[in-house]
């Protein structure tokens, strides 16, 4: 038997339940995977809570990234074969011991990179790639602000920015998280629990920053705009503190600012983008420029505890589930 973790209805972590199923079989163009490691992301919580719309009435299988071994393939599959180690990202469906998926979405994991590292970093690393190359293309000498610098995406971004010669200012909650971010490429990290990040950014970058990358949302967006230099760019790519509901486009007139709200899967669907972005990510990891920290691991059956820790800001770096 196979099993998955489903959200029986929109709600808190308590709606997550284990559901046994038959091992699925691949059809044309599909591959059957046996999952070995599954990444945990805020995106999963957004779907679980009902903040993002569901594609089914009930029993939604969460999970947006996973690694595993190809067990079987259907007809017309040429990019992967049984026995290959692969990784993928998709909006939902990864919280499962086995899965049938479109083979075109699979990327082979290079030798030297473990399934756990691939599963923990794929969605977050691809997010880092589109933020730094497609949302606001940073260049050497730029100064940017990144909220939640000690999170899974934040730790990857800090190292990638350092490799590019970009000065990264981060925010994090508490001295331990600030120290962690400083160890991962940030030149300065502001403890938002005790300091006003807007005032601190003005001290560190009197003219403002070229861009702010903000996945926090409701509690930070106004301050983020105040940190920008003229013609700066506000990149809103998440809402861990709640959705931004009171934004007016006239807010951008304060500095002729630019604003964008990108979504990963709009990039993944571009021809050739997935291959290019995943190759760049694995190159950064393989070269040692980007270290991946798996600081929390839970059994797949205990996914509710992983969600509780994530939403309670009790995690740093990456979190994985293991079937």
């Amino acid at each position: 038997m196979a099993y998955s973790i489903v959200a029986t209805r929109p709600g808190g972590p308590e709606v997550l339940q284990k559901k046994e199923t038959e091992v699925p079989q691949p059809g044309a163009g599909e591959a059957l995977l046996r999952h070995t490691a599954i990444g945990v992301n805020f995106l999963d919580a957004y779907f679980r809570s009902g903040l993002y719309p569901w594609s089914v009435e009930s029993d939604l299988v969460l999970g947006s990234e996973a690694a595993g071994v190809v067990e079987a393939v259907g007809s017309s599959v040429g990019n992967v074969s049984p026995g290959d180690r692969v990784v993928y990202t998709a909006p939902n469906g990864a919280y499962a011991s086995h899965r049938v998926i479109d083979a075109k979405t699979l990327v082979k994991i290079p030798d030297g990179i473990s399934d756990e590292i691939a599963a923990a970093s794929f969605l977050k690393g691809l997010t880092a790639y589109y933020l730094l190359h497609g949302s606001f293309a940073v260049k050497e000498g730029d100064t940017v602000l990144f909220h939640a610098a000690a999170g899974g995406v934040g730790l990857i971004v800090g190292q990638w920015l350092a490799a590019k010669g970009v000065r990264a200012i981060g925010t994090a909650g508490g001295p331990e998280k600030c120290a962690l971010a400083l160890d991962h490429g940030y030149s300065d990290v502001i403890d938002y629990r005790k300091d006003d990040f807007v005032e601190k950014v003005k001290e560190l970058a009197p003219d403002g920053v070229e861009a702010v990358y903000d996945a926090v949302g409701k509690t930070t967006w106004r301050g983020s705009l105040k940190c920008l230099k003229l013609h700066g760019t506000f990149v809103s790519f998440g809402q861990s503190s709640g959705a931004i509901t009171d934004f007016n486009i006239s807010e951008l007139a304060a500095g002729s600012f630019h604003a964008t709200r990108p979504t990963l899967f709009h990039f993944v669907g571009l021809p050739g983008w997935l291959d290019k972005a995943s190759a760049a990510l694995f190159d950064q990891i393989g070269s040692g420029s980007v270290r991946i920290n798996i600081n929390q691991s839970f059994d797949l059956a205990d996914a509710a505890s992983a969600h509780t820790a994530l939403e309670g800001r009790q995690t740093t770096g990456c979190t994985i589930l293991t079937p």
Side-chain angles (χ1 to χ4, degrees):
M1 294 292 291
Y3 72 95
S4 58
I5 302 299
V6 302
T8 56
R9 65 185 186 281
E14 72 279 358
V15 305
L16 298 179
Q17 301 291 330
K18 182 178 179 179
K19 181 178 180 179
E20 292 190 347
T21 60
E22 297 290 336
V23 176
Q25 296 302 311
E30 295 179 331
L32 168 64
L33 302 185
R34 174 177 53 81
H35 284 155
T36 53
I38 301 158
V40 177
N41 298 277
F42 266 105
L43 179 63
D44 309 343
Y46 296 159
F47 274 109
R48 187 212 68 227
S49 69
L51 181 63
Y52 286 3
W54 287 23
S55 59
V56 294
E57 291 295 322
S58 63
D59 289 356
L60 176 66
V61 181
L62 301 176
S64 48
E65 65 179 343
V69 178
V70 176
E71 297 275 273
V73 297
S75 61
S76 304
V77 173
N79 62 315
V80 295
S81 302
D84 285 345
R85 294 188 309 123
V86 296
V87 65
Y88 69 89
T89 182
N92 282 299
Y95 285 12
S97 62
H98 298 74
R99 181 181 192 176
V100 163
I101 194 168
D102 184 343
K104 293 194 299 291
T105 67
L106 302 175
V107 174
K108 292 181 183 179
I109 302 171
D111 293 340
I113 295 178
S114 70
D115 292 8
E116 291 78 13
I117 292 295
S121 65
F122 201 58
L123 181 144
K124 301 171 191 67
L126 295 182
T127 298
Y129 184 87
Y130 84 68
L131 289 174
L132 305 186
H133 300 85
S135 300
F136 176 79
V138 293
K139 62 183 185 301
E140 185 176 359
D142 282 348
T143 298
V144 303
L145 173 66
F146 195 96
H147 290 298
V153 176
L155 295 181
I156 294 173
V157 164
Q159 297 173 86
W160 213 327
L161 287 171
K164 285 179 168 292
V166 175
R167 181 189 181 196
I169 301 170
T171 68
E176 291 184 359
K177 288 190 175 183
C178 289
L180 183 63
L182 284 170
D183 188 47
H184 286 76
Y186 290 89
S187 62
D188 305 273
V189 182
I190 301 161
D191 186 345
Y192 65 79
R193 291 181 179 175
K194 68 183 186 71
D195 293 317
D196 183 318
F197 76 83
V198 175
E199 293 181 0
K200 286 294 183 180
V201 169
K202 288 181 177 179
E203 292 175 9
L204 295 167
D207 295 330
V209 298
E210 273 81 10
V212 179
Y213 298 97
D214 190 337
V216 178
K218 183 177 180 179
T219 61
T220 52
W221 76 268
R222 288 189 183 276
S224 293
L225 292 181
K226 294 177 181 177
C227 294
L228 292 171
K229 63 170 48 176
L230 288 176
H231 305 289
T233 299
F234 172 58
V235 182
S236 172
F237 70 103
Q239 48 202 42
S240 61
S241 71
I244 299 173
T245 58
D246 53 349
F247 173 80
N248 293 311
I249 197 164
S250 60
E251 309 270 1
L252 303 178
S256 294
F257 301 139
H258 307 267
T260 181
R261 179 55 173 92
T263 299
L264 171 62
F265 297 107
H266 291 159
F267 289 91
V268 170
L270 296 173
W273 189 90
L274 181 60
D275 289 339
K276 181 178 180 181
S278 57
L281 171 63
F282 289 141
D283 180 65
Q284 290 290 316
I285 295 173
S287 70
S289 294
V290 169
R291 311 188 315 274
I292 303 300
N293 301 88
I294 301 175
N295 293 337
Q296 300 81 211
S297 179
F298 298 81
D299 288 340
L300 175 57
D302 198 22
S305 295
H307 277 228
T308 298
L310 182 71
E311 293 177 289
R313 298 186 181 277
Q314 298 166 4
T315 65
T316 59
C318 300
T319 301
I320 63 168
L321 305 173
T322 54

